[in-house]
Amino acid sequence: MLQGIQILRALAALLVVFAHFEYIKPAIGGFGVDIFFVISGFIMAYIVNKSSDSFLYRRVIRIVPLYYAMTFLTTGLYLAKPSWFRNVVLTPEALTKSLLFIPYHIKNSGPILTLGWTLNYEMFFYVSIALFITIFGDKKGMIACLAGLSLFVLISSFVSWESYVLRIWGSSMIMEFVAGGILYYLWNHRLRTAGQSFKNALVWVGFAALIFLMYAEYVYGLSSHRSLLFGIPAFLVACGFLMLENHINIKNKFHSTLVLLGDSSYAMYLVHPFVIYAFLRLVYVRIGLHGPVFDFLGLVFSMVLVCLVSIILHRWFEKPLISLLKSMLDKRFDSRKALIKN
């Protein structure tokens, strides 16, 4: 995978962690999700154009194990200490829909693991890609998927769906995945071979877009025309990081650490609320540390702790679990391994 994109994944995850710490009010950093969606669109187009074999199976194996683990952890903690959770409603329907990535809204509550709302979008995107590449083939299928999703979002902007699921799937936020897919084709056919001066200019444009995202979230919040106000700048930020590829040296300790954080970004995204809550509520607050200096130190320690826990979780839980599942399931569900078996 491209190292610039991996580093951007790390940045996006850290932005979300910073937002949920609420060091600045109103909080900023939630736009990291918009960057994630653009990155996801880019990566999926990148993967499909290399090989679409067993696409959906590989996505499910990548996403489901850690998400299920965190969902069941949330369920267990809720049953033990319901007062710790403000927006969790635990019912058989809620658990089933959470595990199946079906959007729902019960008493102002979404997925049991609150962050799962973004994975509902992700899984819809993956299933859409799988459907289109089954119908149209690999490369044409990806392009058809981007066009089909764009058309569905356009139709949804004129239709008031009664179904909550269709309202989510037809949300304009889907266009951020489409933007990421378009970025892949721009990069693959034009940007990767562009001159260095042009690439440097795009890096500066990406940096300016990142500053704008911080300003826009602070001033307007995330609810105002999100796909336009945040999706387009997120697209430019991703474009800028792609242009940094030649400047990244994996042998450099700082660069390699950022790439490692990028590799661990999914774990970071899912686990950080547990780490922040444990550190601040169960340790920091009980000691009675207050004031600007302690608030800043709490932010620094929390961010460092989140990074360490995420790397540990990625290396010694997520990766081994995925490897175990792949060893059990590949020959049944991965067409490439099935061919080898036969």
Side-chain angles (χ1 to χ4, degrees):
M1 184 53 64
L2 296 167
Q3 307 305 335
I5 287 294
Q6 289 301 90
I7 291 175
L8 182 57
R9 289 178 65 186
L11 175 61
L14 288 169
L15 283 167
V16 174
V17 175
F18 181 77
H20 288 162
F21 189 89
E22 296 184 341
Y23 181 71
I24 296 175
K25 294 184 179 180
I28 61 171
F31 62 83
V33 169
D34 303 88
I35 294 175
F36 265 128
F37 284 179
V38 173
I39 292 173
S40 182
F42 179 92
I43 292 176
M44 292 309 107
Y46 180 90
I47 288 173
V48 168
N49 277 267
K50 288 184 68 176
S51 172
S52 66
D53 291 341
S54 306
F55 171 81
L56 189 57
Y57 162 71
R58 287 184 285 151
R59 291 297 93 208
V60 168
I61 282 290
R62 175 71 180 87
I63 294 296
V64 164
L66 188 58
Y67 174 66
Y68 275 20
M70 293 299 105
T71 296
F72 287 126
L73 175 60
T74 303
T75 301
L77 290 173
Y78 177 81
L79 292 174
K81 282 284 187 177
S83 61
W84 286 357
F85 300 88
R86 293 175 295 178
N87 299 313
V88 172
V89 174
L90 183 59
T91 66
E93 179 188 0
L95 182 59
T96 301
K97 288 185 174 180
S98 291
L99 296 177
L100 294 178
F101 301 94
I102 299 173
Y104 71 90
H105 198 67
I106 302 175
K107 298 179 181 179
N108 296 319
S109 171
I112 290 173
L113 181 65
T114 306
L115 295 169
W117 72 269
T118 62
L119 298 181
N120 289 342
Y121 282 106
E122 290 275 359
M123 195 56 70
F124 171 65
F125 183 50
Y126 299 159
V127 171
S128 299
I129 294 172
L131 177 63
F132 276 95
I133 62 179
T134 299
I135 296 172
F136 296 101
D138 298 355
K139 297 179 181 179
K140 290 182 180 179
M142 188 66 210
I143 294 173
C145 179
L146 298 179
L149 289 176
S150 300
L151 179 61
F152 182 61
V153 170
L154 178 62
I155 293 172
S156 298
S157 67
F158 294 100
V159 177
S160 297
W161 301 112
E162 291 186 10
S163 167
Y164 180 75
V165 173
L166 290 179
R167 291 202 301 272
I168 293 298
W169 289 348
S171 163
S172 60
M173 288 196 74
I174 295 296
M175 294 306 299
E176 296 179 351
F177 295 99
V178 173
I182 292 172
L183 178 59
Y184 166 77
Y185 290 104
L186 286 174
W187 170 80
N188 193 43
H189 295 290
R190 291 286 184 271
L191 299 180
R192 66 191 303 183
T193 57
Q196 192 58 50
S197 297
F198 184 68
K199 288 183 177 181
N200 291 340
L202 289 178
V203 170
W204 284 107
V205 169
F207 178 75
L210 183 61
I211 299 300
F212 173 80
L213 284 168
M214 296 179 188
Y215 168 80
E217 183 173 356
Y218 185 79
V219 174
Y220 302 108
L222 290 172
S223 59
S224 302
H225 307 289
R226 183 164 183 170
S227 61
L228 293 175
L229 194 60
F230 296 93
I232 293 174
F235 172 91
L236 296 174
V237 171
C239 185
F241 270 78
L242 277 170
M243 299 303 103
L244 288 173
E245 195 66 27
N246 293 335
H247 300 283
I248 298 171
N249 179 9
I250 201 64
K251 294 181 180 180
N252 180 292
K253 287 288 186 182
F254 180 66
H255 292 179
S256 62
T257 300
L258 290 177
V259 171
L260 176 59
L261 287 174
D263 294 339
S264 309
S265 60
Y266 180 54
M268 185 187 301
Y269 180 70
L270 293 185
V271 79
H272 78 267
F274 300 97
V275 178
I276 291 177
Y277 185 88
F279 179 71
L280 290 184
R281 308 295 182 186
L282 304 183
V283 179
Y284 213 73
V285 173
R286 288 193 176 186
I287 296 175
L289 302 176
H290 300 287
V293 174
F294 290 118
D295 288 344
F296 177 74
L297 291 176
L299 169 66
V300 173
F301 288 140
S302 293
M303 297 285 278
V304 171
L305 189 59
V306 165
C307 290
L308 292 175
V309 171
S310 302
I311 291 171
I312 292 170
L313 189 64
H314 170 67
R315 281 187 165 178
W316 287 287
F317 179 78
E318 183 185 13
K319 288 181 68 176
L321 180 58
I322 291 175
S323 296
L324 175 63
L325 290 173
K326 285 174 68 68
S327 68
M328 296 167 57
L329 302 174
D330 270 5
K331 291 183 179 179
R332 177 175 294 182
F333 296 105
D334 191 324
S335 59
R336 296 169 301 178
K337 302 293 176 62
L339 286 173
I340 295 173
K341 178 182 178 182
N342 294 329

